[in-house]
């Protein structure tokens, strides 16, 4: 009637590495998001610097330098356009990376 309960000692592997808390998909999305934000900040800084330079140049040229002012405005617009194109490409690449991460996540 009486049964003996035998205590079993549990064995487990000794490991010093932490358990992975993020999937590969989450990691890729997070990395793409960080890259997108850094590129965006860099482009914003470039646009701001160009605008400040254009403003300073306009002030130093005075009233009689309409042609120089026009060229500075054109340069500022060109810089903004190039920054917009770069931002669009970055956004597109980020979106592609996120889609690829989703595809990889679906496979595993």
């Amino acid at each position: 009637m009486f049964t003996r309960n035998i205590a079993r000692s549990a064995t487990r592997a000794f490991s010093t590495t932490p358990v992975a808390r993020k999937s590969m998909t989450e990691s890729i999305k997070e990395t793409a998001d960080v890259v997108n934000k850094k590129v965006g900040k860099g482009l914003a800084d470039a646009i701001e610097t160009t605008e400040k330079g254009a403003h300073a140049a306009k002030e130093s040229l005075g009233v009689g330098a309409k042609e120089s002012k026009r060229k500075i405005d054109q340069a500022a617009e060109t810089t903004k356009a190039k920054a917009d194109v770069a931002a669009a490409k970055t956004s597109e690449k980020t979106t592609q990376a996120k889609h690829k991460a989703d595809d990889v996540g679906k496979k595993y």
Side-chain angles (χ1 to χ4, degrees):
M1 277 231 248
F2 293 105
T3 59
R4 289 176 107 181
N5 290 333
I6 300 174
R8 294 185 185 187
S9 62
T11 60
R12 64 180 165 171
F14 180 75
S15 176
T16 59
T17 58
V19 177
R21 290 183 174 81
K22 293 182 183 179
S23 69
M24 185 167 51
T25 305
E26 290 171 337
S27 179
I28 291 170
K29 284 182 179 181
E30 186 177 292
T31 302
D33 188 50
V34 168
V35 169
N36 187 30
K37 287 178 182 177
K38 284 185 180 182
V39 169
K41 286 180 182 178
L43 292 173
D45 289 343
I47 291 171
E48 188 176 325
T49 302
T50 302
E51 288 175 347
K52 285 180 182 178
H55 183 69
K58 288 177 192 176
E59 287 179 356
S60 68
L61 292 174
V63 178
K66 289 183 181 181
E67 181 64 24
S68 295
K69 182 178 178 181
R70 185 184 63 79
K71 287 183 179 181
I72 290 170
D73 288 340
Q74 275 183 329
E77 288 177 19
T78 302
T79 302
K80 285 182 183 180
K82 287 181 180 181
D84 289 341
V85 169
K89 286 181 181 179
T90 300
S91 178
E92 179 182 339
K93 295 292 182 183
T94 301
T95 302
Q96 288 174 356
K98 287 181 180 180
H99 288 301
K100 286 182 182 180
D102 286 338
D103 292 342
V104 169
K106 289 177 186 175
K107 288 182 182 179
Y108 297 100

